[in-house]
């Protein structure tokens, strides 16, 4: 179908350039040549499906794969910037450089766009799934080359390890193993020693940073001078370095809130539109958060906030994020969370939404849905792009899965039990520990279950944390904030009591922190009027207050006055200064109450009751609820 128009296009081009009309054979040969240079997105080669492991699980249990990961990623980083399949160019698809990739042209009105990535968009989960598959296929082709470079005696072992290998993910929400940080050492160490084909060598850790041959096309200053990717940079000069300790303590501090945010997302966001993206135009009171919103906070926390003199790091800005290798570990986890969510709500997949702003190929205002092309990811050499609908079955499409699926029957119930064990309120499983649970195995799972099925006696008597019917009281703060209004990425922090300091860069590790919402936004887009939604669960912090004797129970009668006195928030702007939330047009924090009915067994998620607005908690405060708006919002929810 594409052939005639493509041929005509080529004929026309040749007429203009050379005043020469090629024969049909020549035109066909030209097309063939062009098709052979098109990069298609196929995922891992072959048809066998292997799990993408948690990065610590790979390190702890697969020494040969770990070796291949380091050596292949090092080689991938070093591929020439001019090659379409190099690390540099694949990372560049997401944002800058502002250029076509794989000859997929820019839309005529998209000149202000940084790249192809889709955010605030229903395409967010599917687009990033195809993107990960492209990255993984190119990475694995390097893995195979490295495996083949080992001396004969080791080659069989290394090729065997390579053949079952997939790119790993980083679970930033589950408990790390005792005594270890959330941000794994193996991602933050500057150097690593590795058993290469010629013996043990010490190399720069390829998971720590990417080294640019030439950063000049990064468009934004100081990124166009920085020769390496940075996390919490210590200056803007081209010899800047990462202050990694800040990233490590920040992730440890926010982990529990990220766990709670994920669990709420899994148990309350039942439709694709609201689950998929942070555009609050599509939010409801019970699903104010989104996969994208939670993912944003990991971005800002990995790159670090800026100050008045130093920019945030690469991960803090969408245009540059994909150059930091942690982006790929993070987005692999985002894809895993998407897959897990799919099993919980199997009948909700895909949605329509008007694009709120341009990407490289998508014009603002155009309708986007599950059949929209995920450009620039070609499905074949005939010019067809993948769509959200076509990447639904990640396993058979791109030949990977995740341990939660490969270690179980992959059913809704099996995956719910992993969600409970990893992310439930009393989760005990550690990141990357998902072992075989086979079919329902109530005894083993019951030990680790988040909200254990209460015995009847307990169900009927109220306790400080439960209503008379056995449901657990839940409180959440829903946040609405204009994503691009502060001219850069910023944070909203919620506290139980005043923060111990008024130094914005210290808020993320404050002892009173309940949780953050990181807002990922490029500068110079302040005219984009997009309200991003988020939600920070308050229940963990209130439960701790009950246990500490600060309030007797979690009924509304006691929780509301307590929250009125103690719920505080701060906005840390892109330059490291505090911004008064009341001065931000469209900003609002409103508290809601709900209850979560404990699941009947370890293989189901809790059921939340309707969200009741508690306008009085924040109404008198700067940036707090506006009663008129809340009434409207809950009526439409
Ligand atoms: C692939 O995943 C889908 C869920 O999207 C599941 O129904 C199917 O059984 C899986 N297939 C294989 C071969 O694992
Ligand atoms: C349990 O009780 C709470 C508080 O009265 C109520 O809001 C909730 O809807 C009830 N849940 C169920 C499942 O009946
Ligand atoms: C927004 O930030 C950019 C880059 O940091 C700066 O160049 C620009 O002047 C800022 N715009 C406004 C309106 O403050
Ligand atoms: C933002 O725009 C200003 C002018 O309006 C320009 O000087 C600056 O370089 C731009 N900054 C970025 C980061 O795009
Ligand atoms: C930081 O940004 C805010 C607005 O976002 C502005 O009011 C303030 O003056 C800036 N402070 C510095 C030190 O640049
Ligand atoms: C709430 O918002 C509406 C519409 O924006 C406005 O008319 C009203 O005055 C606001 N009310 C309060 C109490 O701020
Ligand atoms: Cu992204």
């Amino acid at each position: 179908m594409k052939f005639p128009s493509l041929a005509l296009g080529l004929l026309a081009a040749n007429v203009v350039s050379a005043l020469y009309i090629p024969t049909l054979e020549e035109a066909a040969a030209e097309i063939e040549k062009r098709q052979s240079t098109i990069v298609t997105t196929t995922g891992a080669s072959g048809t066998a499906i292997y799990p993408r492991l948690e990065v610590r699980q790979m390190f702890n249990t697969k020494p040969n794969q770990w070796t291949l990961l380091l050596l292949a990623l090092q080689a991938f980083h070093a591929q020439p910037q001019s090659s379409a399949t190099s690390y540099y160019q694949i990372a560049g698809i997401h944002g800058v450089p502002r250029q076509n990739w794989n000859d997929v042209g820019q839309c005529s009105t998209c000149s202000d766009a940084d790249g192809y990535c889709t955010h605030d968009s229903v395409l967010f989960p599917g687009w990033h799934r195809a993107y990960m598959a492209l990255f993984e296929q190119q990475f694995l082709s390097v893995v195979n080359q490295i495996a083949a470079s080992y001396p004969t005696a080791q080659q069989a072992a290394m090729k065997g390890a390579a053949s079952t290998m997939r790119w790993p993910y980083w679970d930033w929400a589950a408990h790390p193993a005792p005594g270890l940080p959330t941000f794994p050492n193996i991602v933050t160490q500057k150097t690593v020693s590795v058993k290469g084909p010629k013996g043990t060598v010490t190399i720069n850790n390829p998971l720590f940073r990417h080294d640019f041959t030439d950063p000049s096309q990064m468009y934004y200053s100081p990124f166009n001078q920085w020769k390496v990717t940075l996390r919490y940079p210590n200056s803007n000069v081209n010899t800047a370095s990462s202050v990694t300790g800040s990233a490590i303590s920040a992730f440890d501090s926010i982990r529990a809130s990220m766990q709670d945010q994920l669990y709420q997302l899994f148990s309350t966001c039942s439709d694709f539109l609201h689950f998929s993206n942070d555009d609050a135009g599509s939010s409801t009171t019970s699903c104010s958060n989104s996969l994208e919103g939670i993912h944003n906070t990991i971005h800002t926390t990995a790159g670090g906030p800026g100050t008045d003199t130093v920019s945030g790091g690469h991960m803090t800005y969408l245009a540059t994020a994909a150059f930091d290798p942690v982006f790929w570990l993070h987005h692999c986890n985002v894809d895993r969370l998407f897959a897990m969510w799919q099993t919980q709500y199997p009948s909700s997949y895909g949605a329509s939404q008007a694009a709120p702003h341009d990407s490289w190929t998508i014009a603002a205002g155009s309708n986007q849905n599950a059949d929209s092309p995920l450009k620039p990811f070609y499905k074949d050499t005939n010019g067809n792009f993948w769509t959200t609908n076509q990447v639904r079955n990640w396993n058979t499409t791109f030949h990977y899965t995740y341990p939660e699926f490969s270690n179980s029957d992959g059913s809704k119930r099996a995956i719910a039990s992993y969600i409970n064990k990893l992310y439930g309120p009393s989760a005990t499983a550690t990141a990357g520990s998902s072992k075989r649970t086979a079919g329902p195995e109530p005894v083993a799972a019951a030990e680790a279950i988040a909200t254990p099925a209460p015995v009847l006696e307990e169900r009927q008597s109220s306790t400080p944390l439960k209503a008379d019917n056995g449901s657990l009281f839940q409180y959440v703060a829903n946040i609405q904030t204009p994503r691009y209004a502060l001219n850069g990425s910023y944070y909203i922090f919620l506290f139980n009591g005043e923060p111990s300091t008024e130094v914005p860069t210290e808020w993320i590790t404050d002892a009173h922190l309940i949780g953050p919402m990181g807002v990922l936004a490029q500068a110079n887009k302040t005219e984009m009027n997009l309200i991003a939604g988020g939600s920070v669960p308050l229940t963990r912090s209130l439960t701790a207050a009950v246990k500490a004797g600060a309030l007797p129970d979690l009924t509304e009668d006691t929780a509301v006055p307590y929250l009125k006195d103690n719920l505080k928030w701060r906005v840390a702007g892109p330059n490291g200064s505090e911004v008064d939330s009341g001065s931000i047009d469209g900003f609002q924090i409103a508290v809601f109450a709900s209850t979560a009915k404990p699941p009947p067994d370890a293989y189901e998620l809790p059921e939340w009751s309707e969200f009741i607005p508690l306008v009085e908690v924040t109404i008198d405060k700067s940036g707090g609820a506006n009663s008129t708006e809340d009434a409207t919002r809950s009526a439409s929810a």
Side-chain angles (χ1 to χ4, degrees):
M1 290 307 289
K2 294 268 171 216
F3 186 89
S5 64
L6 198 51
L8 277 178
L10 278 165
L11 289 168
N14 277 315
V15 169
V16 174
S17 62
L19 291 174
Y20 164 72
I21 300 176
T23 64
L24 269 179
E25 288 75 24
E26 283 171 315
E30 185 60 31
I31 289 162
E32 208 169 285
K33 189 175 132 214
R34 203 167 130 176
Q35 286 178 339
S36 69
T37 61
I38 283 180
V39 181
T40 55
T41 298
T42 59
S45 62
T47 52
I49 298 168
Y50 293 104
R52 292 175 172 173
L53 302 180
E54 213 279 343
V55 65
R56 287 160 284 194
Q57 187 183 19
M58 186 183 276
F59 173 74
N60 289 325
T61 66
K62 305 277 181 191
N64 289 340
Q65 289 191 353
W66 182 253
T67 296
L68 291 169
L69 172 73
L70 296 175
L71 294 176
L73 185 56
Q74 179 194 39
F76 197 14
H77 279 306
Q79 288 178 354
Q81 290 189 180
S82 56
S83 158
T85 53
S86 64
Y87 182 96
Y88 174 87
Q89 284 217 17
I90 289 176
I93 290 169
H94 201 258
V96 294
R98 290 186 169 191
Q99 65 184 35
N100 288 347
W101 181 80
N102 210 9
D103 265 345
V104 179
Q106 194 178 19
C107 110
S108 62
T109 55
C110 294
S111 61
D112 62 337
D114 274 324
Y116 295 91
C117 72
T118 54
H119 293 89
D120 314 305
S121 165
V122 285
L123 305 186
F124 173 80
W127 190 92
H128 286 85
R129 172 164 288 171
Y131 192 30
M132 274 307 313
L134 173 68
F135 177 87
E136 183 174 58
Q137 90 195 24
Q138 296 310 136
F139 162 75
L140 290 176
S141 76
V142 186
V143 166
N144 288 328
Q145 290 162 21
I146 300 282
S149 74
Y150 274 81
T152 326
Q154 292 144 276
Q155 226 181 73
M158 297 314 274
K159 283 185 170 171
S163 69
T164 60
M165 186 163 169
R166 296 292 180 264
W167 177 258
Y169 69 91
W170 166 39
D171 185 345
W172 29 254
H175 286 274
L180 293 176
T182 301
F183 201 12
N185 294 329
I186 48 182
V187 184
T188 60
Q189 282 159 359
K190 287 187 182 156
T191 58
V192 279
S193 110
V194 50
K195 283 187 201 151
K198 294 179 183 147
T200 300
V201 287
T202 297
I203 59 171
N204 285 335
N205 182 359
L207 292 171
F208 174 65
R209 67 170 205 228
H210 172 71
D211 292 25
F212 293 91
T213 305
D214 170 11
S216 63
Q217 297 309 302
M218 293 296 100
Y219 189 82
Y220 296 104
S221 174
F223 297 93
N224 54 6
Q225 286 113 47
W226 279 337
K227 294 203 74 172
V228 298
T229 55
L230 295 165
R231 304 170 186 158
Y232 296 73
N234 64 352
S235 89
N236 281 351
V237 303
N238 58 11
T239 55
S241 56
S242 293
V243 184
T244 306
S246 298
I248 294 168
S249 42
F251 278 114
D252 281 335
S253 177
I254 69 165
R255 191 203 57 76
S257 180
M258 301 324 292
Q259 175 192 331
D260 295 348
Q261 291 187 34
L262 261 190
Y263 196 63
Q264 185 186 325
L265 181 84
F266 277 125
S267 36
T268 67
C269 291
S270 58
D271 74 283
F272 190 95
L273 179 66
H274 303 114
F275 163 80
S276 63
N277 77 95
D278 69 13
D279 180 353
S282 65
S283 282
T284 64
T285 47
S286 61
C287 179
S288 181
N289 219 338
S290 60
L291 182 65
E292 186 190 6
I294 292 173
H295 134 282
N296 288 345
T297 302
I298 302 306
H299 268 272
T300 52
T301 306
T307 66
D308 55 342
T309 52
V310 184
S311 168
H314 288 73
M315 278 287 279
T316 304
Y317 288 95
L318 286 173
T320 51
F323 290 94
D324 185 330
V326 78
F327 174 96
W328 302 100
L329 300 172
H330 170 38
H331 268 280
C332 191
N333 192 40
V334 169
D335 184 69
R336 165 178 163 270
L337 298 170
F338 175 32
M340 292 170 87
W341 181 88
Q342 284 180 252
T343 63
Q344 299 309 297
Y345 305 100
S347 60
S348 179
Y349 188 83
S352 299
Q353 195 183 33
H357 49 72
D358 294 337
S359 78
W360 195 253
T361 56
I362 298 172
S366 62
N367 184 268
Q368 299 300 314
N369 60 45
D371 293 319
S372 302
L374 302 175
K375 291 184 180 181
F377 308 119
Y378 281 116
K379 186 184 179 196
D380 52 39
T381 50
N382 299 323
N384 297 308
F385 294 96
W386 288 103
T387 66
T388 297
N389 273 333
Q390 289 165 352
V391 301
R392 183 169 190 163
N393 291 336
W394 63 91
N395 47 16
T396 48
T397 308
F398 292 133
H399 322 125
Y400 69 86
T401 191
Y402 294 100
E404 287 78 10
F405 295 87
S406 57
N407 290 333
S408 77
D409 61 8
S411 64
K412 176 176 179 178
R413 284 173 60 72
I415 300 305
S417 96
Y418 285 115
I419 294 171
N420 283 325
K421 281 189 279 194
L422 288 164
Y423 309 121
S426 43
T428 53
T430 57
S433 67
S434 295
K435 297 271 160 48
R436 178 167 290 280
T437 57
E441 235 177 67
V443 184
E447 297 167 355
I449 189 62
T451 44
V455 293
L456 201 59
E457 194 186 352
E458 206 184 338
R459 217 184 236 286
Q460 283 164 345
S461 66
S462 72
T463 74
L465 308 178
K466 288 176 185 165
D468 289 345
N469 58 15
S471 289
L472 290 153
F473 294 117
Q474 301 290 334
Y475 295 90
V476 306
N478 283 355
I479 303 166
Q480 312 249 320
T481 190
R483 180 161 175 168
Y484 297 95
L486 301 192
N487 195 30
S489 295
Y490 62 100
Y491 271 113
I492 297 144
F493 294 109
L494 276 70
F495 302 94
N496 187 343
E498 296 287 355
S500 339
T501 160
E502 290 303 340
V503 180
T505 50
E506 292 180 11
W507 286 336
I508 197 160
T509 49
D510 196 275
H512 296 167
L513 181 72
I514 299 173
M517 173 179 175
V519 184
L520 195 54
Q522 213 68 45
N524 278 0
K525 299 194 188 301
T526 46
E527 78 289 351
M528 284 187 194
N529 189 16
L530 186 134
I531 303 290
S535 188
V536 175
L538 309 174
T539 312
R540 180 190 290 266
S541 183
L542 290 171
T543 301
V546 169
K547 292 195 170 140
L551 76 171
D553 58 48
L554 292 190
T555 57
E556 275 182 38
D557 287 350
T558 48
V560 168
Y562 179 86
L563 286 169
K564 269 174 98 163
D565 285 349
N566 293 289
L567 182 66
K568 310 287 172 189
W569 59 89
R570 297 285 189 279
V571 177
N575 57 12
S577 303
E578 180 180 2
V579 181
D580 174 9
S581 60
S583 73
I584 306 171
D585 211 18
F587 183 96
Q588 175 172 275
I589 287 190
V591 171
F592 290 81
S594 176
T595 60
K597 182 180 162 200
D601 64 28
Y603 295 83
E604 288 184 36
L605 299 180
E607 246 177 67
W608 290 52
S609 59
E610 194 192 343
F611 276 49
I612 311 293
L614 302 175
V615 175
E616 61 270 41
V617 172
T618 61
I619 192 157
D620 297 328
K621 301 177 185 174
S622 188
N626 171 320
S627 60
T628 314
E629 287 181 14
D630 277 326
T632 321
R633 200 167 292 116
S634 33
S636 67

